[in-house]
Amino acid sequence: MSLSVTLDNIGLKKGYNLLISNLNLEAKNGDAISLTGQNGVGKTTLLRAIAGFFSPFAGKISASDDSGPIEPVRFRTELIHYLGHQDALSPTRTTEQELRFQAQYLNANENNYQFAVQYLNLAPLLDLETRLLSAGQKRRVSFARLLIAQRPVWLLDEPMSPLDADQRDVAARLMQDHLSDGGIIIAAVHDPLPFETRIVHLTRPDVKAQEAALVD
Amino acid sequence: MSTKINAAPHAALSLLKRDLGLSLTRGGGPLLAVGFYLTLMAMIPLSLGSDSGTLSRVAPGLTWLSLALASLLSLERLFERDYEDGLFDILRLGPLPMEVIALLKCLAQWMGTGLMLAVLTPFVMIILGAPVDAAFISLIAAILGSLSFAIIGGVGASLSLGTRKGGVLIALLVLPFYVPPVIFGAGLMQAYLTGAPVVQALSLLSAYALFALALGPIAMGAALKSALS
């Protein structure tokens, strides 16, 4: 199946601030894109817009496969994984409860759950309440979601930052496997990912564009 | 394809189970609201005196007032915790629309605390001097009332999402909308105790619960989407 995600001349606002303007981007099967740029330039906002959490202020984000354009709702609810800053774990529930919930909620099968636990070596963490986990451990638990429900487009926000060297290797292998299976990765990063990616450097729009956006 | 069709109910069930578990365990669970309710009821004879004639006359009204206030207690954490933990980022990528997610969360919260309060209501009323044969009708009324409280309260909670410590704001937003069930519920009990027909008040109470069930999720969905964008 061929899948492509296209950002067509999009502009994004946060509050009244124009963060991104006239951005064009196309991602196809096997593409890994690194979004770079200084803090506050809009990397997270862009990822959240692609995930469909809100609509861009200008332009269009679309996806299509062999059979034509994909409806935004289907794209969001069936084809996307979003891993944000927050690890989306309830502090009072155990790792196992959270992972099993995610598996059921995202309609994954039991084998994937077992595979994810094994791949990321989560077995020692399963019985712990997630509030007891370190930042790196939480991130590993978040990564499990990518394996539990198989979805082609991964939107990752600073995926590597809390991980130690060994776990970075595991995560890098995970991502490379996904790419060779025809997946798409769009990641916001400060340190480059340890494999070849297309780098998209985000910069602030010039003052004229920012002022023009204020009027709209 | 069959897995796709089953995805939504499956997901709904898993979310309901998760939230029910959380509403029973997190932050003291139903104990907080139940403790508040019982303490408030225990204070009524202390403040009004122990004359059983007076107490049995005001019992239905005060019980409903306390039920409304106790229902407010757990509203603040209905969406706030999951919002802070970023859990909505997962929920939105699943098969359920935001309206259904919000409704399920309210229902789980209602089952965790509202139903407990409703079950206690007949006992509390009887202790305050209402006749024992009013127990069943007061249970039905309290179940309907607490359901309305839970969903209307969910609308308030979703509107105040993202404001730090929005508890008082929620109370201000939702208390006016708690008035109709309180009127119908307390009126129902008065009618029963004076021997008047109860059908009218019961129908209005049910209508209000259905109204909340139908329109609440739409309002919550819109408020949550705007808070999460």
Side-chain angles (χ1 to χ4, degrees):
Chain A
M1 188 181 89
S2 83
L3 177 72
S4 72
V5 180
T6 313
L7 311 188
D8 183 16
N9 228 356
I10 63 162
L12 297 176
K13 268 183 172 182
K14 190 152 195 182
Y16 289 108
N17 272 333
L18 183 70
L19 288 176
I20 287 169
S21 76
N22 299 329
L23 179 74
N24 290 293
L25 188 66
E26 187 174 24
K28 284 192 158 58
N29 296 85
D31 280 358
I33 296 175
S34 298
L35 303 173
T36 60
Q38 39 178 245
N39 294 135
V41 81
K43 301 185 290 290
T44 299
T45 308
L46 177 59
L47 287 178
R48 294 185 71 85
I50 299 173
F53 292 154
F54 64 96
S55 320
F57 137 79
K60 199 167 168 245
I61 297 172
S62 56
S64 60
D65 61 11
D66 296 328
S67 53
I70 299 171
E71 253 185 276
V73 171
R74 187 169 97 81
F75 182 59
R76 191 184 78 222
T77 59
E78 289 176 25
L79 303 179
I80 280 189
H81 268 307
Y82 172 83
L83 253 65
H85 296 291
Q86 293 158 312
D87 291 297
L89 301 168
S90 292
T92 56
R93 285 169 47 93
T94 65
T95 306
E96 179 168 9
Q97 283 176 322
E98 284 295 84
L99 289 180
R100 289 209 182 266
F101 162 70
Q102 292 175 5
Q104 284 172 7
Y105 188 77
L106 300 173
N107 199 31
N109 72 28
E110 174 69 20
N111 293 344
N112 290 356
Y113 167 81
Q114 299 296 354
F115 175 70
V117 168
Q118 200 187 6
Y119 194 106
L120 294 161
N121 189 24
L122 297 175
L125 307 180
L126 286 180
D127 289 335
L128 293 177
E129 289 187 0
T130 62
R131 70 193 161 91
L132 302 171
L133 303 182
S134 74
Q137 288 172 324
K138 280 186 191 163
R139 185 53 54 90
R140 266 161 64 201
V141 174
S142 292
F143 266 106
R145 190 157 89 233
L146 302 173
L147 294 170
I148 285 174
Q150 283 167 349
R151 296 181 165 198
V153 181
W154 291 3
L155 306 172
L156 313 174
D157 197 351
E158 297 278 355
M160 299 295 206
S161 53
L163 299 178
D164 64 33
D166 287 347
Q167 293 305 328
R168 282 182 190 212
D169 289 344
V170 174
R173 189 154 46 97
L174 180 76
M175 290 189 233
Q176 280 169 303
D177 287 351
H178 180 63
L179 293 172
S180 57
D181 287 345
I184 295 172
I185 293 178
I186 303 177
V189 293
H190 286 294
D191 308 318
L193 292 174
F195 49 88
E196 197 165 327
T197 60
R198 196 160 96 225
I199 291 176
V200 174
H201 188 70
L202 300 178
T203 49
R204 271 179 212 289
D206 55 31
V207 178
K208 234 166 88 182
Q210 290 196 26
E211 281 173 356
L214 273 180
V215 183
D216 284 321
Chain B
M1 268 329 265
S2 65
T3 54
K4 289 277 187 295
I5 295 164
N6 288 330
H10 196 65
L13 196 66
S14 65
L15 181 61
L16 192 67
K17 263 197 328 216
R18 172 186 180 280
D19 274 44
L20 187 58
L22 278 174
S23 77
L24 288 174
T25 54
R26 127 174 111 182
L31 280 180
L32 190 70
V34 166
F36 177 81
Y37 189 46
L38 293 180
T39 313
L40 206 59
M41 298 316 294
M43 283 169 75
I44 289 170
L46 297 176
S47 62
L48 293 182
S50 56
D51 173 36
S52 61
T54 321
L55 281 181
S56 64
R57 213 164 50 228
V58 296
L62 284 176
T63 314
W64 271 84
L65 193 60
S66 311
L67 183 64
L69 292 179
S71 304
L72 281 176
L73 281 184
S74 42
L75 289 178
E76 191 180 357
R77 38 168 216 236
L78 177 56
F79 299 117
E80 194 75 36
R81 298 275 175 90
D82 285 344
Y83 174 74
E84 282 167 3
D85 298 336
L87 197 95
F88 279 105
D89 290 348
I90 297 183
L91 298 183
R92 296 187 80 181
L93 298 182
L96 301 178
M98 199 52 115
E99 288 78 10
V100 177
I101 294 173
L103 179 64
L104 288 170
K105 283 186 164 294
C106 283
L107 287 180
Q109 179 90 335
W110 173 63
M111 288 187 230
T113 59
L115 268 185
M116 306 262 178
L117 295 176
V119 168
L120 284 174
T121 300
F123 295 103
V124 167
M125 266 193 221
I126 290 167
I127 292 169
L128 285 180
V132 177
D133 59 329
F136 182 67
I137 188 88
S138 71
L139 176 65
I140 301 289
I143 289 176
L144 288 171
S146 61
L147 180 61
S148 315
F149 292 152
I151 293 170
I152 300 285
V155 176
S158 62
L159 283 171
S160 73
L161 195 61
T163 58
R164 294 260 150 205
K165 300 280 162 211
V168 182
L169 179 62
I170 298 174
L172 276 179
L173 282 174
V174 304
L175 272 179
F177 296 95
Y178 278 14
V179 173
V182 168
I183 294 174
F184 302 142
L188 171 76
M189 293 316 297
Q190 288 300 0
Y192 184 83
L193 295 177
T194 55
V198 294
V199 180
Q200 219 172 14
L202 197 59
S203 322
L204 283 169
L205 203 56
S206 319
Y208 199 77
L210 290 175
F211 161 80
L213 267 176
L215 296 185
I218 300 172
M220 286 186 277
L224 287 177
K225 273 182 211 159
S226 119
L228 294 166
S229 66

PDB file of all heavy atoms in Angstrom, chain A residues 65-83:
ATOM      1  N   ASP A  65      -3.881   7.362  -0.322  1.00  0.00           N
ATOM      2  CA  ASP A  65      -3.277   6.061  -0.611  1.00  0.00           C
ATOM      3  C   ASP A  65      -3.665   5.624  -2.019  1.00  0.00           C
ATOM      4  O   ASP A  65      -4.133   6.436  -2.815  1.00  0.00           O
ATOM      5  CB  ASP A  65      -3.663   5.031   0.457  1.00  0.00           C
ATOM      6  CG  ASP A  65      -5.155   4.792   0.525  1.00  0.00           C
ATOM      7  OD1 ASP A  65      -5.869   5.272  -0.388  1.00  0.00           O
ATOM      8  OD2 ASP A  65      -5.606   4.128   1.461  1.00  0.00           O
ATOM      9  N   ASP A  66      -3.471   4.336  -2.322  1.00  0.00           N
ATOM     10  CA  ASP A  66      -3.737   3.830  -3.676  1.00  0.00           C
ATOM     11  C   ASP A  66      -5.139   4.193  -4.151  1.00  0.00           C
ATOM     12  O   ASP A  66      -5.358   4.497  -5.317  1.00  0.00           O
ATOM     13  CB  ASP A  66      -3.603   2.307  -3.694  1.00  0.00           C
ATOM     14  CG  ASP A  66      -2.190   1.895  -3.381  1.00  0.00           C
ATOM     15  OD1 ASP A  66      -1.281   2.656  -3.737  1.00  0.00           O
ATOM     16  OD2 ASP A  66      -2.005   0.823  -2.775  1.00  0.00           O
ATOM     17  N   SER A  67      -6.088   4.139  -3.222  1.00  0.00           N
ATOM     18  CA  SER A  67      -7.473   4.305  -3.649  1.00  0.00           C
ATOM     19  C   SER A  67      -7.944   5.756  -3.563  1.00  0.00           C
ATOM     20  O   SER A  67      -9.124   6.029  -3.569  1.00  0.00           O
ATOM     21  CB  SER A  67      -8.381   3.416  -2.801  1.00  0.00           C
ATOM     22  OG  SER A  67      -8.144   3.658  -1.448  1.00  0.00           O
ATOM     23  N   GLY A  68      -6.993   6.688  -3.445  1.00  0.00           N
ATOM     24  CA  GLY A  68      -7.381   8.088  -3.470  1.00  0.00           C
ATOM     25  C   GLY A  68      -7.218   8.758  -2.119  1.00  0.00           C
ATOM     26  O   GLY A  68      -6.584   8.210  -1.219  1.00  0.00           O
ATOM     27  N   PRO A  69      -7.786   9.973  -1.985  1.00  0.00           N
ATOM     28  CA  PRO A  69      -7.622  10.728  -0.737  1.00  0.00           C
ATOM     29  C   PRO A  69      -8.225   9.996   0.460  1.00  0.00           C
ATOM     30  O   PRO A  69      -9.219   9.281   0.319  1.00  0.00           O
ATOM     31  CB  PRO A  69      -8.390  12.030  -0.990  1.00  0.00           C
ATOM     32  CG  PRO A  69      -8.746  12.048  -2.417  1.00  0.00           C
ATOM     33  CD  PRO A  69      -8.628  10.672  -2.960  1.00  0.00           C
ATOM     34  N   ILE A  70      -7.620  10.175   1.617  1.00  0.00           N
ATOM     35  CA  ILE A  70      -8.120   9.566   2.848  1.00  0.00           C
ATOM     36  C   ILE A  70      -8.837  10.637   3.652  1.00  0.00           C
ATOM     37  O   ILE A  70      -8.329  11.740   3.827  1.00  0.00           O
ATOM     38  CB  ILE A  70      -6.957   9.005   3.680  1.00  0.00           C
ATOM     39  CG1 ILE A  70      -6.222   7.939   2.895  1.00  0.00           C
ATOM     40  CG2 ILE A  70      -7.444   8.450   5.009  1.00  0.00           C
ATOM     41  CD1 ILE A  70      -4.942   7.480   3.540  1.00  0.00           C
ATOM     42  N   GLU A  71     -10.017  10.284   4.116  1.00  0.00           N
ATOM     43  CA  GLU A  71     -10.776  11.217   4.956  1.00  0.00           C
ATOM     44  C   GLU A  71      -9.978  11.585   6.200  1.00  0.00           C
ATOM     45  O   GLU A  71      -9.367  10.709   6.824  1.00  0.00           O
ATOM     46  CB  GLU A  71     -12.042  10.511   5.444  1.00  0.00           C
ATOM     47  CG  GLU A  71     -13.308  10.958   4.794  1.00  0.00           C
ATOM     48  CD  GLU A  71     -14.467  10.268   5.472  1.00  0.00           C
ATOM     49  OE1 GLU A  71     -14.770   9.123   5.089  1.00  0.00           O
ATOM     50  OE2 GLU A  71     -15.017  10.867   6.398  1.00  0.00           O
ATOM     51  N   PRO A  72     -10.007  12.857   6.618  1.00  0.00           N
ATOM     52  CA  PRO A  72      -9.231  13.269   7.800  1.00  0.00           C
ATOM     53  C   PRO A  72      -9.566  12.449   9.053  1.00  0.00           C
ATOM     54  O   PRO A  72      -8.659  12.120   9.825  1.00  0.00           O
ATOM     55  CB  PRO A  72      -9.635  14.732   7.997  1.00  0.00           C
ATOM     56  CG  PRO A  72     -10.098  15.190   6.669  1.00  0.00           C
ATOM     57  CD  PRO A  72     -10.658  14.000   5.968  1.00  0.00           C
ATOM     58  N   VAL A  73     -10.840  12.126   9.248  1.00  0.00           N
ATOM     59  CA  VAL A  73     -11.194  11.378  10.457  1.00  0.00           C
ATOM     60  C   VAL A  73     -10.582   9.982  10.432  1.00  0.00           C
ATOM     61  O   VAL A  73     -10.027   9.508  11.421  1.00  0.00           O
ATOM     62  CB  VAL A  73     -12.727  11.281  10.629  1.00  0.00           C
ATOM     63  CG1 VAL A  73     -13.067  10.328  11.755  1.00  0.00           C
ATOM     64  CG2 VAL A  73     -13.306  12.655  10.897  1.00  0.00           C
ATOM     65  N   ARG A  74     -10.617   9.342   9.262  1.00  0.00           N
ATOM     66  CA  ARG A  74     -10.027   8.012   9.177  1.00  0.00           C
ATOM     67  C   ARG A  74      -8.509   8.095   9.356  1.00  0.00           C
ATOM     68  O   ARG A  74      -7.903   7.268  10.040  1.00  0.00           O
ATOM     69  CB  ARG A  74     -10.349   7.363   7.823  1.00  0.00           C
ATOM     70  CG  ARG A  74      -9.903   5.902   7.761  1.00  0.00           C
ATOM     71  CD  ARG A  74     -10.462   5.199   6.547  1.00  0.00           C
ATOM     72  NE  ARG A  74      -9.530   5.145   5.444  1.00  0.00           N
ATOM     73  CZ  ARG A  74      -8.549   4.256   5.327  1.00  0.00           C
ATOM     74  NH1 ARG A  74      -8.353   3.355   6.269  1.00  0.00           N
ATOM     75  NH2 ARG A  74      -7.753   4.270   4.295  1.00  0.00           N
ATOM     76  N   PHE A  75      -7.908   9.118   8.767  1.00  0.00           N
ATOM     77  CA  PHE A  75      -6.469   9.321   8.901  1.00  0.00           C
ATOM     78  C   PHE A  75      -6.093   9.431  10.376  1.00  0.00           C
ATOM     79  O   PHE A  75      -5.189   8.762  10.863  1.00  0.00           O
ATOM     80  CB  PHE A  75      -6.079  10.596   8.146  1.00  0.00           C
ATOM     81  CG  PHE A  75      -4.614  10.906   8.160  1.00  0.00           C
ATOM     82  CD1 PHE A  75      -3.696  10.011   7.653  1.00  0.00           C
ATOM     83  CD2 PHE A  75      -4.156  12.107   8.678  1.00  0.00           C
ATOM     84  CE1 PHE A  75      -2.342  10.296   7.650  1.00  0.00           C
ATOM     85  CE2 PHE A  75      -2.803  12.403   8.686  1.00  0.00           C
ATOM     86  CZ  PHE A  75      -1.898  11.500   8.181  1.00  0.00           C
ATOM     87  N   ARG A  76      -6.863  10.234  11.119  1.00  0.00           N
ATOM     88  CA  ARG A  76      -6.544  10.459  12.527  1.00  0.00           C
ATOM     89  C   ARG A  76      -6.788   9.217  13.374  1.00  0.00           C
ATOM     90  O   ARG A  76      -5.997   8.883  14.236  1.00  0.00           O
ATOM     91  CB  ARG A  76      -7.361  11.631  13.068  1.00  0.00           C
ATOM     92  CG  ARG A  76      -6.891  12.083  14.435  1.00  0.00           C
ATOM     93  CD  ARG A  76      -7.769  13.182  15.003  1.00  0.00           C
ATOM     94  NE  ARG A  76      -8.988  12.636  15.530  1.00  0.00           N
ATOM     95  CZ  ARG A  76     -10.179  13.158  15.371  1.00  0.00           C
ATOM     96  NH1 ARG A  76     -10.320  14.259  14.676  1.00  0.00           N
ATOM     97  NH2 ARG A  76     -11.236  12.590  15.870  1.00  0.00           N
ATOM     98  N   THR A  77      -7.911   8.531  13.109  1.00  0.00           N
ATOM     99  CA  THR A  77      -8.294   7.465  14.031  1.00  0.00           C
ATOM    100  C   THR A  77      -7.754   6.095  13.656  1.00  0.00           C
ATOM    101  O   THR A  77      -7.906   5.156  14.424  1.00  0.00           O
ATOM    102  CB  THR A  77      -9.826   7.370  14.141  1.00  0.00           C
ATOM    103  OG1 THR A  77     -10.352   7.121  12.846  1.00  0.00           O
ATOM    104  CG2 THR A  77     -10.415   8.643  14.694  1.00  0.00           C
ATOM    105  N   GLU A  78      -7.159   5.963  12.465  1.00  0.00           N
ATOM    106  CA  GLU A  78      -6.674   4.633  12.102  1.00  0.00           C
ATOM    107  C   GLU A  78      -5.222   4.595  11.661  1.00  0.00           C
ATOM    108  O   GLU A  78      -4.599   3.543  11.688  1.00  0.00           O
ATOM    109  CB  GLU A  78      -7.540   4.051  10.972  1.00  0.00           C
ATOM    110  CG  GLU A  78      -8.929   3.669  11.445  1.00  0.00           C
ATOM    111  CD  GLU A  78      -9.808   3.181  10.297  1.00  0.00           C
ATOM    112  OE1 GLU A  78      -9.259   2.694   9.302  1.00  0.00           O
ATOM    113  OE2 GLU A  78     -11.028   3.325  10.419  1.00  0.00           O
ATOM    114  N   LEU A  79      -4.672   5.711  11.216  1.00  0.00           N
ATOM    115  CA  LEU A  79      -3.354   5.639  10.582  1.00  0.00           C
ATOM    116  C   LEU A  79      -2.248   6.346  11.365  1.00  0.00           C
ATOM    117  O   LEU A  79      -1.087   6.242  11.012  1.00  0.00           O
ATOM    118  CB  LEU A  79      -3.431   6.232   9.167  1.00  0.00           C
ATOM    119  CG  LEU A  79      -4.472   5.567   8.242  1.00  0.00           C
ATOM    120  CD1 LEU A  79      -4.488   6.242   6.891  1.00  0.00           C
ATOM    121  CD2 LEU A  79      -4.165   4.087   8.077  1.00  0.00           C
ATOM    122  N   ILE A  80      -2.604   7.059  12.420  1.00  0.00           N
ATOM    123  CA  ILE A  80      -1.605   7.901  13.088  1.00  0.00           C
ATOM    124  C   ILE A  80      -1.293   7.451  14.512  1.00  0.00           C
ATOM    125  O   ILE A  80      -2.180   7.051  15.253  1.00  0.00           O
ATOM    126  CB  ILE A  80      -2.113   9.359  13.118  1.00  0.00           C
ATOM    127  CG1 ILE A  80      -1.867   9.995  11.766  1.00  0.00           C
ATOM    128  CG2 ILE A  80      -1.433  10.163  14.207  1.00  0.00           C
ATOM    129  CD1 ILE A  80      -2.127  11.458  11.771  1.00  0.00           C
ATOM    130  N   HIS A  81      -0.019   7.542  14.846  1.00  0.00           N
ATOM    131  CA  HIS A  81       0.399   7.485  16.245  1.00  0.00           C
ATOM    132  C   HIS A  81       1.031   8.812  16.579  1.00  0.00           C
ATOM    133  O   HIS A  81       1.820   9.350  15.806  1.00  0.00           O
ATOM    134  CB  HIS A  81       1.458   6.402  16.456  1.00  0.00           C
ATOM    135  CG  HIS A  81       0.880   5.087  16.838  1.00  0.00           C
ATOM    136  ND1 HIS A  81       0.018   4.935  17.881  1.00  0.00           N
ATOM    137  CD2 HIS A  81       1.052   3.856  16.297  1.00  0.00           C
ATOM    138  CE1 HIS A  81      -0.321   3.665  17.982  1.00  0.00           C
ATOM    139  NE2 HIS A  81       0.283   2.984  17.021  1.00  0.00           N
ATOM    140  N   TYR A  82       0.684   9.358  17.739  1.00  0.00           N
ATOM    141  CA  TYR A  82       1.309  10.599  18.181  1.00  0.00           C
ATOM    142  C   TYR A  82       1.928  10.374  19.550  1.00  0.00           C
ATOM    143  O   TYR A  82       1.239   9.987  20.482  1.00  0.00           O
ATOM    144  CB  TYR A  82       0.271  11.723  18.230  1.00  0.00           C
ATOM    145  CG  TYR A  82       0.775  12.990  18.862  1.00  0.00           C
ATOM    146  CD1 TYR A  82       1.507  13.901  18.110  1.00  0.00           C
ATOM    147  CD2 TYR A  82       0.547  13.274  20.193  1.00  0.00           C
ATOM    148  CE1 TYR A  82       2.000  15.065  18.676  1.00  0.00           C
ATOM    149  CE2 TYR A  82       1.036  14.435  20.780  1.00  0.00           C
ATOM    150  CZ  TYR A  82       1.755  15.322  20.013  1.00  0.00           C
ATOM    151  OH  TYR A  82       2.243  16.469  20.587  1.00  0.00           O
ATOM    152  N   LEU A  83       3.243  10.577  19.647  1.00  0.00           N
ATOM    153  CA  LEU A  83       3.915  10.487  20.948  1.00  0.00           C
ATOM    154  C   LEU A  83       4.376  11.871  21.341  1.00  0.00           C
ATOM    155  O   LEU A  83       5.283  12.414  20.729  1.00  0.00           O
ATOM    156  CB  LEU A  83       5.133   9.563  20.847  1.00  0.00           C
ATOM    157  CG  LEU A  83       5.021   8.191  21.508  1.00  0.00           C
ATOM    158  CD1 LEU A  83       3.974   7.371  20.804  1.00  0.00           C
ATOM    159  CD2 LEU A  83       6.349   7.483  21.476  1.00  0.00           C
TER     160      LEU A  83
END
